[in-house]
Amino acid sequence: MHPVAMVDYYMEGKKTETWDKVTNSRIALLHPKIRQIAVNFINEVEKEFGIQLRVTTGLRTIEEQNRLYEQGRTTSGNIVTWVKGGYSYHNYGLAIDVIEMKNNNVNWDESVLKKISPVGIRNGFSWGGDWEKQKDYPHFEITFGYKASELLKKHNEGELDNEGYIIFN
Ligand SMILES: [Zn+2]
């Protein structure tokens, strides 16, 4: 089955929200094709491990990404990203960063992310912890088989829906 068709296939009969309002509001801004997948991921992790994940970053616009890229380079602060605007799947609402919330606090323990990563992968995400260089444990993305540069081309050529999300055929 084509990855895009697969997404619709998995959607039936699933809860449409997670335990966390903050997470729900961030998921609502993801690409429409991955919103339900992100909800399923968070809910399955809670059900299987009793771990409550929060989405800390979802959609980050190309403009926001460029501003972030300048941080630590031409503006003050530490370097926080290696990629310019258009080259992160966050820029298309196709990536999330997650962290465990425990008693209203963030649990930074990486082992939690290693433990829950198979649930994300099973739901169709690629995991930043599997990257060869600069591992990014909180990061999960769905590429639909497109490189970021190909998405940027689609974006620049205006292959976008009314809300500015890339149209996948
Ligand atoms: Zn990320």
Side-chain angles (χ1 to χ4, degrees), residues 57-58 60 88 90 95-97 131 136 138-141:
T57 305
R60 184 192 294 141
S88 165
H90 285 290
I96 53 174
D97 300 330
W131 294 347
D136 189 352
H139 180 97
F140 291 83
E141 64 188 26

Side-chain angles (χ1 to χ4, degrees), residues 37-152:
I37 301 174
V39 169
N40 297 347
F41 172 25
I42 305 284
N43 286 343
E44 288 172 24
V45 165
E46 187 179 20
K47 196 174 170 193
E48 289 170 36
F49 299 108
I51 291 171
Q52 293 185 309
L53 296 178
R54 168 168 289 176
V55 171
T56 58
T57 305
L59 175 69
R60 184 192 294 141
T61 65
I62 291 176
E63 294 70 30
E64 285 167 343
Q65 182 77 34
N66 279 327
R67 223 176 298 136
L68 214 57
Y69 184 81
E70 293 311 319
Q71 184 181 319
R73 293 184 173 90
T74 62
T75 65
S76 63
N78 297 321
I79 287 181
V80 287
T81 184
W82 289 274
V83 289
K84 289 187 181 182
Y87 294 93
S88 165
Y89 288 89
H90 285 290
N91 301 152
Y92 308 102
L94 293 172
I96 53 174
D97 300 330
V98 298
I99 201 83
E100 182 186 15
M101 296 299 292
K102 216 172 180 179
N103 308 320
N104 262 329
N105 288 308
V106 171
N107 178 11
W108 297 105
D109 187 352
E110 265 169 16
S111 69
V112 171
L113 298 167
K114 289 177 183 164
K115 186 173 173 180
I116 61 91
S117 63
V119 181
I121 292 163
R122 188 177 80 203
N123 276 280
F125 286 96
S126 304
W127 179 42
D130 283 332
W131 294 347
E132 298 278 315
K133 292 178 189 172
Q134 293 157 345
K135 288 185 187 299
D136 189 352
Y137 293 100
H139 180 97
F140 291 83
E141 64 188 26
I142 292 187
T143 68
F144 294 115
Y146 291 95
K147 292 178 195 160
S149 58
E150 293 170 323
L151 296 175
L152 183 58

